[in-house]
């Protein structure tokens, strides 16, 4: 279970420089291996790696990011957690699509303005 607000980054490889491939939100449930000696948890089905704790360099204390769930999740809870992850992924895809569409149209408008400001366009009108 994620106990660090707002959540933790899921990385492609078990290293801080690893590419971020997703996030797990605060209080979200994870399914994966026990932490390795460096504190990395390998998520089930090869979905990436998350840190179980980090060290706060300013005070030298360890900050807990994850904790083991106290009780086994029911099938309904597992399905709900997967459904929530799928919903978040769908929302992120929609956001990216909207941004790409906006950039495409903004680039088109900028180009049209540039062309209309050209002296040859002024001669036509």
């Amino acid at each position: 279970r994620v106990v660090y607000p707002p959540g933790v980054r899921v990385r492609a490889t078990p290293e801080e420089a690893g590419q971020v491939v997703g996030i797990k939100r605060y209080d979200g449930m994870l399914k994966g291996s026990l932490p390795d000696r460096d504190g990395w948890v390998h998520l089930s089905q090869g979905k990436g790696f998350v840190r179980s704790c980090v060290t706060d360099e300013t005070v030298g204390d360890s900050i807990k990011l994850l904790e083991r769930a106290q009780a086994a999740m029911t099938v309904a809870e597992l399905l709900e957690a997967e459904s929530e992850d799928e919903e978040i992924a769908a929302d992120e895809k929609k956001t990216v699509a909207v941004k790409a569409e906006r950039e495409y149209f903004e680039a088109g408008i900028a180009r049209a303005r540039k062309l209309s400001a050209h002296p040859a366009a002024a001669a036509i009108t």
Side-chain angles (χ1 to χ4, degrees):
R1 185 167 69 93
V2 179
V3 296
Y4 183 78
V8 295
R9 293 180 184 98
V10 178
R11 298 191 182 271
T13 56
E15 56 192 359
E16 285 300 319
Q19 178 184 6
V20 176
V21 296
I23 58 169
K24 294 292 182 181
R25 305 260 184 229
Y26 172 74
D27 208 32
M29 299 301 284
L30 304 173
K31 187 175 179 184
S33 68
L34 292 174
D36 66 12
R37 63 187 171 131
D38 295 321
W40 289 98
V41 173
H42 186 209
L43 300 179
S44 296
Q45 301 170 349
K47 293 184 178 181
F49 299 84
V50 294
R51 293 293 300 265
S52 60
C53 64
V54 293
T55 302
D56 182 345
E57 299 296 330
T58 58
V59 292
D61 287 342
S62 181
I63 300 172
K64 187 187 259 188
L65 305 177
L66 307 176
E67 73 178 13
R68 268 186 96 164
Q70 296 301 318
M73 293 176 70
T74 66
V75 172
E77 290 171 329
L78 286 171
L79 291 174
E80 182 180 331
E82 285 183 18
S83 175
E84 183 179 324
D85 286 347
E86 290 170 359
E87 185 179 323
I88 290 169
D91 286 346
E92 289 172 352
K93 286 180 184 177
K94 286 179 190 174
T95 301
V96 168
V98 167
K99 285 181 181 178
E101 186 176 80
R102 185 180 320 126
E103 288 176 12
Y104 173 80
F105 285 120
E106 287 175 357
I109 291 169
R111 185 162 188 227
R113 286 184 181 143
K114 186 176 178 182
L115 287 173
S116 66
H118 194 275
I124 296 172
T125 58

